[in-house]
Amino acid sequence: AVVEAWQRIPADDPAYSLRLNVVMPDHFHGILVCKGGARYSLAQIIERLKARSRQAIRRLKNAPTLDVWEDGFHDYAAFTPATFNAFADYVRDNPRRWQLRHDNPQWFAKQTDVVHPRLPPETRWTAYGDRTLLDYPWLEPVVISRRLEGVELETEVTRLLALAREGAVLIGGFISPGERRVASEAAAIPRCRLVYLHPWGLSRYKPHGRAAAERLASGLTLALSGFPDTEESVPRRGNCLLNNRWAQAIAALRKGQE
């Protein structure tokens, strides 16, 4: 039903051409190319897709009031071939990552000696959660100085939350008051994903509260540390500054920066 609705998009508006799509158990990925001069906005196109597929699924299930879709959607505009190809690869690889999460429950226990192309190889990494979050092309670093106040602070918090709503995976230590605020408010955004770079070891790591545990188990949170287990859970300035550099370097690799 969803694919049939997707395939009708060019008939609704020839400005849009289809590239690829993947139907997942609880969400849908699709890549469109807009040639310009579109009759309908992207939001209208998505709403038509949802309405048609919802109607078809309700008929198939004989459930006229069945909830099918959450409100809203995430979109990202790719303006370079490299960015477009990175997201195309991510979409194609979605089923594999989903199956890996379900076939490897050990991922939700402590993982040591974690290796990933985005992680500085000279550091020994430890993690809890779904490390395939590092595969996502759009990681956005969250680095907010404690000295940032007033309008400047509000502007930066608003910017980061807007990016999270658009689909960015936020990555950072979330130590300063501004960073903690971003993490708290972003966690309330449906399906928002966060990578926590802890500035200490993970020997005593435990998600705080039911919501945090559910996010970890649902693949929405990755807890990551480049510090040994012997490093106490104290936010030392040197560790936090190193964390900030890591967050920026890891996120920069989506643009092919070294």
Side-chain angles (χ1 to χ4, degrees), residues 18 78 81 90 92 129 160 164 198 207-208 220 237 239 242 245 253:
L18 310 180
Y90 177 82
R92 290 190 193 97
L160 289 165
H198 291 264
H208 296 291
L220 298 176
R237 175 174 170 77
N239 289 7
L242 178 56
R245 292 196 294 273
L253 287 178

Side-chain angles (χ1 to χ4, degrees), residues 108-206:
F108 304 103
K110 185 178 182 180
Q111 305 157 50
T112 57
D113 297 320
V114 175
V115 176
H116 189 278
R118 274 181 144 147
L119 297 177
E122 68 277 7
T123 300
R124 184 179 180 183
W125 294 93
T126 305
Y128 282 85
D130 183 6
R131 64 181 183 233
T132 65
L133 290 183
L134 294 171
D135 294 337
Y136 192 65
W138 186 11
L139 299 184
E140 189 67 32
V142 178
V143 179
I144 301 178
S145 170
R146 293 177 182 272
R147 294 189 293 270
L148 204 63
E149 297 178 340
V151 174
E152 290 183 339
L153 174 61
E154 292 302 317
T155 299
E156 182 62 4
V157 169
T158 299
R159 181 186 75 85
L160 289 165
L161 292 175
L163 295 179
R165 291 188 182 92
E166 292 172 12
V169 175
L170 303 184
I171 178 172
F174 302 107
I175 296 298
S176 73
E179 292 167 357
R180 290 200 301 270
R181 178 180 161 193
V182 168
S184 176
E185 294 187 25
I189 299 172
R191 300 200 61 77
C192 176
R193 293 150 296 179
L194 300 169
V195 177
Y196 287 83
L197 279 175
H198 291 264
W200 46 68
L202 296 182
S203 61
R204 298 183 179 179
Y205 175 78
K206 184 178 181 181

Side-chain angles (χ1 to χ4, degrees), residues 44-55:
Q44 290 171 315
I45 289 291
I46 298 301
E47 187 50 45
R48 283 170 170 258
L49 179 147
K50 285 183 174 183
R52 284 172 174 158
S53 57
R54 179 170 51 239
Q55 190 176 47

